[in-house]
Amino acid sequence: MTQWTSAVGAAQLARLFSSQQERPAGPGTRRPPAYRALADGIRLLVLEGRVPVAARLPAERELALSLSVSRTTVAAAYEALRAEGFLESRRGAGSWTAVPAGNPLPARGLEPLPPEALGSMIDLGCAALPAPEPWLTRAVQGALDELPPYAHTHGDYPAGLPALRQTLADRYTARGIPTMPEQIMVTTGAMGAIDAICHLFAGRGERIAVESPSYANILQLMREAGARLVPVAMAEGLAGWDLDRWRQVLRDAAPRLAYVVADFHNPTGALADEDQRRQLVDAARSAGTVLVVDETMSELHLDEGLELPRPVCGFDPAGSTVVTVGSASKAFWAGMRIGWVRAAPDVIRSLVAARAYADLGTPVLEQLAVNWLLSTGGWEQAVEVRRHQARENRDALVAALRRELPGWEFDVPRGGLTLWVRTGGLSGSRLAEVGERVGVRVPSGPRFGVDGAFEGYVRLPFTVGGAVADEAAGRLAAAARLVESGTRGGGEAPRTFVA
């Protein structure tokens, strides 16, 4: 059976390798042999996620021509990668990328800390902010006022409360996407929505194409559902999707589903432009792939004057390709576990029918609270509070990182809640481990990749600001020094800061 799930062309790999060589080397650095430089370059591309794991590499002769080196050089590089566990080969199937055995994904960093631990530990694991008051309290009070008529019913609404479905449909229509209530299902958060979609469209063993990197919790949800994940590397920085790679994966791997975050991507913060959205929808339609679009960050645009592209579903007027997922958790509050799906009516009917064997429905009181927010103007005011808070936190964290860790690299996104940070050659997994010893909790890069990619990254959310951001950056710098020195951090006690 073929072991690879995507392919990297010779010209594409040569471009990626050449871009590495443009990075300045440190003073006194000796140039390695050509085969060693090529092997190290491919290994780094795999660890950074720019070449996916389980991607077929070009034949030796083909790559040698693209790089203008001898075939012997490429053969020696491939042999070195095989010896180190970064390449597997089989006669007749070619060679494909891998990561060495014994490198499990780190388990730490995304689960929220218990409140009693927050006095001594700065938690940068979860991209979630406190509730925007007084809007949470007002929404719950408004929901209680609306509750009595519903209390006289059975309380089970598998598709969601009719009033909230209508309100959500009206909001899509106001965005230029005509929508009926029959195209909406209310779920228990975005995770509940995507879980239901995966069970409907992608049975165990089906392929699902995912951005690389992507949102860690969704990747784990799909793994546990038995999906075969096919990573598609993001373009560099904040450039968004690499459409050539997407077309190739959709054509060659023929995944049943593809999961993307077009609006302030988690973790990179990239915003896909209209042309990228149009091209990806067209490619998915041609391949027969259902495109699941996560809009949970779409309202968190932070920079003034930013013109947002049309929603991805706006490029699928027939509704046959795009399924959209939204949520109140990021834009409003993570404790408000209300999400929704917008799709064709027949898809919604299938999702609702399947729900009888899952969770039956979403809590009525929380649905009423979200409907109160959306229908009274409270949502817009609360989200504006959230944007202001995230903008201030982002700017404070960026300034602190540039001061304390000038060798770390990142692009500042124009929205969302996360920074995707290259850690100057340090292991993100080691930083996560040592960070907890000095009082700061961060998720390492491999949590956001498939099979061990992105070891040289961490994700930092805009959840702290002011003096706490300064302290968080200081603790990260302390963790980086300990990782560089090769210690386990036992000799330095955490500094105490009460937020």
Side-chain angles (χ1 to χ4, degrees):
M1 186 178 71
T2 301
Q3 301 296 310
W4 48 271
T5 57
S6 62
V8 181
Q12 179 186 1
L13 186 57
R15 284 195 303 272
L16 291 169
F17 182 70
S18 297
S19 70
Q20 285 183 330
Q21 311 314 302
E22 294 168 3
R23 296 179 188 171
T29 302
R30 297 178 59 186
R31 293 178 63 86
Y35 86 91
R36 186 69 259 175
L38 178 57
D40 289 346
I42 293 174
R43 176 177 53 82
L44 184 59
L45 289 170
V46 171
L47 288 174
E48 290 185 344
R50 298 175 68 193
V51 169
V53 176
R56 186 181 62 176
L57 296 185
E60 293 170 3
R61 187 185 304 276
E62 187 181 0
L63 183 57
L65 287 172
S66 291
L67 290 172
S68 299
V69 299
S70 71
R71 182 178 176 182
T72 302
T73 296
V74 177
Y78 279 14
E79 182 58 35
L81 289 167
R82 276 189 288 269
E84 295 162 4
F86 287 94
L87 196 68
E88 296 180 11
S89 304
R90 195 177 72 242
R91 187 178 296 278
S95 299
W96 56 92
T97 57
V99 291
N103 289 294
L105 293 176
R108 301 176 179 178
L110 290 184
E111 298 79 11
L113 281 173
E116 61 270 16
L118 293 177
S120 59
M121 181 76 71
I122 299 176
D123 186 8
L124 298 181
C126 295
L129 290 163
E133 288 287 26
W135 301 107
L136 174 62
T137 299
R138 293 179 182 177
V140 172
Q141 290 172 340
L144 288 172
D145 292 341
E146 299 291 332
L147 183 62
Y150 295 94
H152 295 289
T153 73
H154 48 64
D156 287 334
Y157 296 88
L161 293 184
L164 180 55
R165 296 176 75 196
Q166 181 68 62
T167 298
L168 291 168
D170 290 346
R171 287 178 66 83
Y172 277 105
T173 300
R175 294 168 68 189
I177 314 296
T179 302
M180 305 177 294
E182 292 80 9
Q183 292 176 262
I184 301 291
M185 181 177 84
V186 181
T187 62
T188 307
M191 291 288 288
I194 293 169
D195 183 56
I197 293 165
C198 288
H199 279 89
L200 177 64
F201 285 104
R204 184 167 292 273
E206 291 275 5
R207 290 175 174 172
I208 301 179
V210 295
E211 297 152 326
S212 183
S214 186
Y215 179 39
N217 288 339
I218 293 297
L219 295 181
Q220 189 60 27
L221 181 155
M222 292 174 175
R223 289 186 190 102
E224 292 183 0
R228 298 171 61 193
L229 301 184
V230 183
V232 187
M234 298 284 287
E236 279 287 279
L238 298 177
W241 299 321
D242 184 326
L243 270 302
D244 288 339
R245 296 188 190 185
W246 269 105
R247 279 188 286 265
Q248 183 180 32
V249 167
L250 293 175
R251 181 182 65 245
D252 295 346
R256 185 69 183 93
L257 284 181
Y259 168 76
V260 297
V261 184
D263 301 283
F264 310 118
H265 175 260
N266 185 355
T268 69
L271 176 66
D273 62 33
E274 289 212 359
D275 188 54
Q276 289 176 320
R277 295 169 190 235
R278 180 184 297 105
Q279 289 189 53
L280 186 56
V281 172
D282 289 345
R285 185 183 298 115
S286 297
T289 298
V290 175
L291 191 61
V292 182
V293 180
D294 186 334
E295 287 191 335
T296 55
M297 296 281 193
S298 63
E299 296 196 56
L300 293 174
H301 45 91
L302 306 183
D303 289 352
E304 297 295 334
L306 177 61
E307 186 173 345
L308 295 176
R310 279 186 293 165
V312 177
C313 57
F315 300 96
D316 181 37
S320 59
T321 300
V322 177
V323 175
T324 303
V325 172
S327 172
S329 296
K330 297 297 186 185
F332 186 74
W333 185 44
M336 188 69 77
R337 304 305 305 160
I338 298 295
W340 53 86
V341 180
R342 182 202 180 273
D346 62 319
V347 172
I348 295 298
R349 286 193 293 271
S350 297
L351 288 170
V352 172
R355 198 171 195 181
Y357 309 102
D359 63 357
L360 292 177
T362 302
V364 170
L365 189 63
E366 292 185 23
Q367 291 188 72
L368 288 171
V370 171
N371 192 58
W372 182 91
L373 286 165
L374 293 172
S375 58
T376 62
W379 178 270
E380 283 73 19
Q381 295 178 68
V383 171
E384 187 54 45
V385 170
R386 170 70 75 241
R387 291 189 193 114
H388 177 75
Q389 186 178 15
R391 186 185 305 116
E392 288 195 338
N393 286 357
R394 178 196 64 181
D395 296 346
L397 184 60
V398 165
L401 288 172
R402 286 177 172 164
R403 181 179 63 252
E404 297 284 347
L405 291 155
W408 287 18
E409 303 172 48
F410 53 87
D411 293 290
V412 182
R414 306 190 69 184
L417 287 172
T418 58
L419 281 179
W420 185 235
V421 181
R422 192 196 304 265
T423 56
L426 299 180
S427 162
S429 300
R430 289 286 290 126
L431 283 166
E433 178 187 356
V434 175
E436 292 202 24
R437 289 179 164 82
V438 298
V440 61
R441 205 163 187 247
V442 295
S444 63
R447 291 296 302 267
F448 304 89
V450 174
D451 295 328
F454 305 109
E455 184 57 65
Y457 289 81
V458 293
R459 188 197 72 171
L460 303 178
F462 318 144
T463 53
V464 296
V468 187
D470 293 338
E471 179 70 12
R475 296 185 186 187
L476 283 171
R481 289 192 295 271
L482 290 168
V483 171
E484 285 179 322
S485 68
T487 72
R488 296 188 59 82
E492 182 169 328
R495 289 174 281 174
T496 302
F497 186 89
V498 180

